[in-house]
Amino acid sequence: MSLISPHEIEDILLPSGTKAVKDLRVSPAKCRLALLASLGKKLSVLSMESNNVILTYDLPTAAWSCSWDLNSSHYMYAGLQNGMLMVFDMRQTARPMAEISGPTSNPIHTIQSVLHNSTLPSGVSTLLSASSVGLCQWNFGGSEERPFLVPETKNHGVCISLAHCPSSDNIVSTFRPKVEMSNEIAVSQYSLTPSVMGQGMQGSHVLLKRVGGNCYQKLGSSCANVNDIRLQRSAIIDLQSHHPLFVSGDEITHELVLQELPSLRVSQRLKSQKHPLRDVKYSHDLSPSLLCCLSEDTLQFFSAKFS
């Protein structure tokens, strides 16, 4: 779908067996490519010029997330259901560059590439990932350092969302309470069924900032209305002449909530037409800028004007 001609829509046939798409990322490079991770154990690269899938990798298990590398347009990542992270290079299509087991076997539901930090050796790429236990940092290209859980995200509950701003290194992770079973084992169950709505409950947003190569500082937190089953998507809007804004969906009021960073003060609430909200994105490539949210069958746009 083109915003220039929004009524001209083309359906794109995905490879057989793709199943549900769990994540989709547009390349930050000027190559007009999109990356898709699916439950059908596939990672696919889509050309947005020809509207065809140009490359597909078979994975050992279902993919829950994907990301391009912000420092090198050739590299791609897939987060798997078993907690493993796979690294791919588009110039070498025969096999993955690396298959790395994470610190837990929980599904990796979000991956964010991090811009190179001067405190790390040259050539080292860094990723942030999120699973139910919290955030994890992965470093590639230097000494074979094991991925590690970010201590500042432990003991907040079940992590259900991760938003990261590469230019400022602001990070907001969203949590819901753990469900205590009768045998006193804390569990959280992800839903793979799109029709399961879940209910709203009180959780929290936690604001972090990356300081140095492997260190994080907790700057604050706020209450949040989250879903007791579904994962959420959120975003950080980096503005030139305004405080950065964190955008997330409110599961009880069915609104998009904009919060200023670092205070997490609510600055605006936008009513969404459909619920539940599946994803939220911001684009400054057009004038005025656009904030959009995706629901089950609707893509809603808001004109964003910030002084």
Side-chain angles (χ1 to χ4, degrees), residues 12 20 35-36 46 58 62 64 77 88 153 191-192 247 263 278 281-282 287 292 307:
I12 300 171
L35 190 63
L36 293 86
L46 170 72
D58 291 321
W64 277 51
Y77 306 96
F88 297 90
T153 62
S191 172
L192 299 185
V247 187
S263 66
R278 297 297 186 184
K281 288 287 188 291
Y282 172 79
S287 182
C292 63
S307 58

Side-chain angles (χ1 to χ4, degrees), residues 204-226:
S204 63
H205 299 309
V206 176
L207 173 63
L208 306 172
K209 195 173 186 70
R210 185 166 169 255
V211 287
N214 298 329
C215 298
Y216 295 82
Q217 180 182 5
K218 181 181 175 181
L219 300 181
S221 62
S222 70
C223 294
N225 292 327
V226 301

